Amino acid sequence: MTFRYQHRIHFRDTDAAGVVFFSNILSFFHEAYEASLAASGIDIRQFFRVDDLAVPIVHSNCDFHRPMQCGEIYDIMLTPQQESVNEFSISYQSFKADEAIRIVSEDFTQEDASDLANKRASATALTRHVTIQPRERRRIDIPPMLLAWIEQWSD
Amino acid sequence: MTFRYQHRIHFRDTDAAGVVFFSNILSFFHEAYEASLAASGIDIRQFFRVDDLAVPIVHSNCDFHRPMQCGEIYDIMLTPQQESVNEFSISYQSFKADEAIRIVSEDFTQEDASDLANKRASATALTRHVTIQPRERRRIDIPPMLLAWIEQWSD
Amino acid sequence: MTFRYQHRIHFRDTDAAGVVFFSNILSFFHEAYEASLAASGIDIRQFFRVDDLAVPIVHSNCDFHRPMQCGEIYDIMLTPQQESVNEFSISYQSFKADEAIRIVSEDFTQEDASDLANKRASATALTRHVTIQPRERRRIDIPPMLLAWIEQWSD
Amino acid sequence: MTFRYQHRIHFRDTDAAGVVFFSNILSFFHEAYEASLAASGIDIRQFFRVDDLAVPIVHSNCDFHRPMQCGEIYDIMLTPQQESVNEFSISYQSFKADEAIRIVSEDFTQEDASDLANKRASATALTRHVTIQPRERRRIDIPPMLLAWIEQWSD
């Protein structure tokens, strides 16, 4: 089950070209990531506090298909995936709210939906995260609560 | 009727001291302002595009009573007030979500509520806005749609 | 001696109205504050880490006189002042770079300069800071290193 | 000749984990891009105003090798490259200031330097940009001023 998060574009995230500044879109995706953790019962404040566990992002890539503007509402779809014992990735897609509704309501196979979704997304991205012991900065295994979160929101 | 807006604190708005960076709180209040405009039927994207009308903020002040942390939810109360033919102000208060609920559900007079609210708010602020013709940057009267918005959300 | 900091406006700090988003101006002033601490030999990374001492901002106010645009360079003047044993304030003024140069080079008394400066500033602001013991969040005296910093950059 | 830009990490760009929030690193690289345009005599304010030409970013990818902290100074190296008549890319590397100095002063071939640089960089990134006519959003050729900028800062 993919996690879905709704986000409204605020004025501070736009720039003088009249659209969202590119790197802010990655911030929106991170908001969705935080919301998915909270939805799995993880205490976000604890999670990001970095005592015994830190989960730094080691890679991001993002494709920007369409400009996003102030006041528009987007549905962000998020899917985590385990990559190794101490690494996972998250893929994201954002759709203008009415577009997302249309995609869901139309009658087509899962594969078609995925194709269509990729074409219509305003942005798609991937982040890679590793689990480390923060003081020594050495890798440790993904803890059970994060494995449960991956399980919950994987396809 | 005061406008109420709910906001969750995201990780990007915190700083290395572990709490929300002070000026981001003004950004949250601006989000509430945008939401109140949208709730009055004003097209935000048009509104902030600055063709015939610009509404720059000429003053802000803010008191920070309590630290705000990632994952917490806040209720922001917003009240606009007309100051002259071409100037209005907005006052804001933010409350940790459960606090706000308690304030509303308790049994006390409006005056007491206001007293209590001021004591418990995590932050309070005021912004002053002027209405100008953007090309010449000279003041013009507040247009009817904004007067209606002030009317709608005033006490 | 007032502390002077030079800042160039970046694209990410503008908004869809084509000028700097209002609360980002307070961020620029905070950058000047950080630079002034570093110029007094204070290790910023240590300072903001909040172990034995935290210095939260409890109040800010800001007047926005002129729009600031991408690519423009500003001189920010910063003056700290002790307010009590556990509280200090900082006042800030920002000038478009060439304006600031003109003010300095013209021949007038200090009082006139101050008058003129206020008129020509793109923004002026004040922040109030308190010194606290972070775990218990109770006030403690301003430590010697900060008193020295206040001394160094006061008029 | 690679373009070099120096950037100090500010408090507002850190997060509650004590290091720079990942997407802000892309903002630093964009600052370097703006500085390189200005260094080639391009009026940034005009450039980003989007009348006859817009240059949206259509892709970004970034690898985060080491955490960046408040007060640290980074040297950002930037190299643009033409990809087609209406598309160019920019590659970026950031080094903690003293590291960068060491790399430059050591005695090794260009290839070794590049190897070493990749290993020591705190972050490396690539952005892809297209040149479009903004009203119709159709692609147009890269204009001469941008071709000259690519030429100037290419290897």
Side-chain angles (χ1 to χ4, degrees):
Chain A
M1 190 175 68
T2 288
F3 181 75
R4 178 183 290 217
Y5 174 75
Q6 200 159 76
H7 178 78
R8 182 187 281 272
I9 306 299
H10 301 296
F11 196 50
R12 71 153 162 165
D13 288 318
T14 61
D15 61 31
V19 299
V20 171
F21 185 69
F22 82 113
S23 68
N24 289 339
I25 294 168
L26 285 164
S27 302
F28 304 159
F29 289 150
H30 200 278
E31 285 186 20
Y33 165 42
E34 295 167 37
S36 73
L37 291 170
S40 294
I42 293 172
D43 180 334
I44 300 176
R45 189 174 138 190
Q46 258 342 91
F47 183 76
F48 286 111
R49 231 186 214 159
V50 183
D51 291 328
D52 304 322
L53 171 70
V55 191
I57 295 173
V58 294
H59 172 81
S60 74
N61 67 61
C62 192
D63 289 290
F64 310 98
H65 304 297
R66 294 162 184 221
M68 299 164 86
Q69 291 177 301
C70 187
E72 293 175 345
I73 295 171
Y74 285 85
D75 280 307
I76 297 174
M77 316 298 206
L78 170 162
T79 314
Q81 185 174 314
Q82 187 171 355
E83 301 288 350
S84 78
V85 290
N86 50 37
E87 189 162 344
F88 64 90
S89 64
I90 310 175
S91 58
Y92 315 82
Q93 293 178 298
S94 69
F95 301 92
K96 246 186 99 172
D98 47 0
E99 298 280 345
I101 290 159
R102 197 150 21 114
I103 286 166
V104 168
S105 63
E106 279 173 19
D107 176 27
F108 39 49
T109 67
Q110 201 58 34
E111 288 75 23
D112 291 344
S114 166
D115 271 9
L116 198 59
N118 273 305
K119 276 188 214 114
R120 284 174 178 174
S122 64
T124 52
L126 182 109
T127 52
R128 286 219 321 271
H129 308 238
V130 297
T131 43
I132 65 171
Q133 199 282 344
R135 254 169 303 275
E136 307 166 28
R137 295 200 78 79
R138 64 170 171 76
R139 298 216 179 180
I140 54 175
D141 285 2
I142 300 175
M145 65 164 184
L146 267 179
L147 290 175
W149 164 81
I150 292 170
E151 173 84 9
Q152 184 173 4
W153 304 117
S154 292
D155 281 331
Chain B
M1 191 175 66
T2 288
F3 181 76
R4 176 183 291 221
Y5 174 76
Q6 201 159 74
H7 178 78
R8 181 188 282 271
I9 305 298
H10 301 296
F11 195 50
R12 71 153 164 168
D13 288 319
T14 61
D15 61 30
V19 299
V20 171
F21 185 68
F22 83 114
S23 68
N24 289 340
I25 295 168
L26 285 164
S27 301
F28 304 160
F29 288 152
H30 200 278
E31 284 186 19
Y33 165 43
E34 294 167 38
S36 73
L37 291 169
S40 294
I42 293 172
D43 181 333
I44 300 176
R45 188 173 139 191
Q46 257 343 92
F47 183 76
F48 286 110
R49 230 186 215 159
V50 183
D51 290 327
D52 303 322
L53 170 71
V55 191
I57 295 174
V58 293
H59 172 81
S60 75
N61 67 63
C62 192
D63 290 291
F64 310 98
H65 304 297
R66 296 162 182 221
M68 299 163 87
Q69 290 177 302
C70 187
E72 292 175 345
I73 294 170
Y74 285 86
D75 279 307
I76 297 174
M77 316 296 206
L78 170 163
T79 314
Q81 185 173 314
Q82 187 171 355
E83 301 289 349
S84 78
V85 290
N86 51 37
E87 190 164 343
F88 64 91
S89 64
I90 309 176
S91 58
Y92 314 82
Q93 295 179 296
S94 68
F95 301 93
K96 244 184 104 173
D98 47 1
E99 298 280 347
I101 289 159
R102 194 150 23 114
I103 286 165
V104 168
S105 63
E106 278 172 19
D107 177 26
F108 41 49
T109 67
Q110 200 59 35
E111 288 76 23
D112 290 344
S114 165
D115 270 10
L116 197 60
N118 273 305
K119 275 188 215 110
R120 283 174 177 174
S122 65
T124 53
L126 182 108
T127 52
R128 285 219 321 272
H129 308 239
V130 297
T131 42
I132 65 171
Q133 199 283 343
R135 255 169 302 275
E136 306 165 27
R137 295 199 77 80
R138 65 169 172 76
R139 298 215 180 181
I140 54 174
D141 287 2
I142 300 175
M145 63 165 186
L146 266 179
L147 290 175
W149 165 80
I150 292 170
E151 174 82 10
Q152 185 174 1
W153 305 115
S154 293
D155 282 331
Chain C
M1 191 176 66
T2 288
F3 181 76
R4 179 184 290 219
Y5 174 76
Q6 201 159 73
H7 178 78
R8 182 188 281 271
I9 306 298
H10 302 295
F11 195 49
R12 71 153 164 168
D13 289 318
T14 61
D15 60 31
V19 299
V20 172
F21 184 68
F22 82 113
S23 69
N24 290 339
I25 294 168
L26 286 163
S27 302
F28 304 159
F29 289 151
H30 200 278
E31 284 186 19
Y33 165 42
E34 295 166 37
S36 73
L37 291 169
S40 294
I42 293 172
D43 181 333
I44 300 176
R45 190 174 137 188
Q46 258 340 92
F47 182 76
F48 286 110
R49 233 188 214 156
V50 182
D51 290 328
D52 303 322
L53 170 71
V55 191
I57 294 174
V58 293
H59 172 82
S60 74
N61 68 61
C62 192
D63 289 289
F64 310 97
H65 304 297
R66 295 163 184 221
M68 299 164 86
Q69 291 177 301
C70 187
E72 292 175 345
I73 295 170
Y74 285 85
D75 280 307
I76 296 174
M77 316 297 207
L78 170 163
T79 314
Q81 185 174 314
Q82 187 171 355
E83 300 288 350
S84 79
V85 290
N86 50 37
E87 189 162 344
F88 64 90
S89 64
I90 309 175
S91 58
Y92 315 81
Q93 294 179 297
S94 68
F95 302 91
K96 245 185 100 173
D98 47 0
E99 297 280 346
I101 289 159
R102 196 150 23 114
I103 286 165
V104 168
S105 64
E106 278 173 19
D107 176 27
F108 40 48
T109 67
Q110 199 60 34
E111 288 76 21
D112 290 345
S114 166
D115 271 9
L116 198 59
N118 272 305
K119 276 188 214 114
R120 283 174 178 175
S122 65
T124 52
L126 183 108
T127 51
R128 285 219 321 272
H129 308 239
V130 297
T131 42
I132 66 171
Q133 198 283 343
R135 254 168 302 275
E136 307 166 28
R137 294 200 78 79
R138 64 169 173 75
R139 297 214 180 183
I140 55 174
D141 285 2
I142 301 175
M145 64 164 184
L146 267 179
L147 290 175
W149 164 80
I150 292 170
E151 174 83 11
Q152 184 173 3
W153 304 115
S154 293
D155 279 332
Chain D
M1 191 175 67
T2 287
F3 182 75
R4 178 182 290 221
Y5 175 76
Q6 201 160 74
H7 178 79
R8 182 188 282 273
I9 306 298
H10 302 295
F11 196 50
R12 71 153 162 166
D13 288 319
T14 61
D15 60 31
V19 299
V20 171
F21 184 68
F22 82 114
S23 69
N24 289 339
I25 294 168
L26 285 164
S27 302
F28 304 159
F29 288 151
H30 199 278
E31 284 185 21
Y33 166 42
E34 295 167 37
S36 73
L37 291 170
S40 294
I42 293 172
D43 181 333
I44 300 176
R45 188 174 138 191
Q46 252 350 86
F47 182 76
F48 285 111
R49 231 188 214 157
V50 182
D51 290 328
D52 303 323
L53 171 71
V55 191
I57 294 173
V58 294
H59 172 81
S60 74
N61 67 62
C62 192
D63 289 291
F64 310 99
H65 304 297
R66 295 161 182 222
M68 300 163 86
Q69 290 177 302
C70 187
E72 293 175 344
I73 295 171
Y74 286 85
D75 280 307
I76 297 174
M77 316 296 206
L78 169 163
T79 314
Q81 184 173 315
Q82 187 171 355
E83 301 288 350
S84 77
V85 290
N86 51 36
E87 190 163 344
F88 63 91
S89 64
I90 310 176
S91 58
Y92 315 82
Q93 294 179 297
S94 69
F95 302 92
K96 245 184 102 173
D98 46 2
E99 298 279 348
I101 290 159
R102 196 150 22 114
I103 286 165
V104 168
S105 62
E106 279 172 19
D107 177 25
F108 40 49
T109 67
Q110 199 60 36
E111 288 76 23
D112 290 343
S114 166
D115 271 9
L116 197 61
N118 273 305
K119 277 189 214 109
R120 284 174 177 175
S122 64
T124 52
L126 183 109
T127 52
R128 285 219 321 272
H129 308 239
V130 297
T131 43
I132 65 171
Q133 198 283 344
R135 254 170 301 276
E136 306 165 27
R137 296 199 78 78
R138 64 170 172 77
R139 299 215 178 181
I140 55 175
D141 286 3
I142 301 175
M145 62 163 187
L146 267 179
L147 290 176
W149 165 81
I150 292 170
E151 173 82 9
Q152 185 174 2
W153 305 116
S154 293
D155 282 330

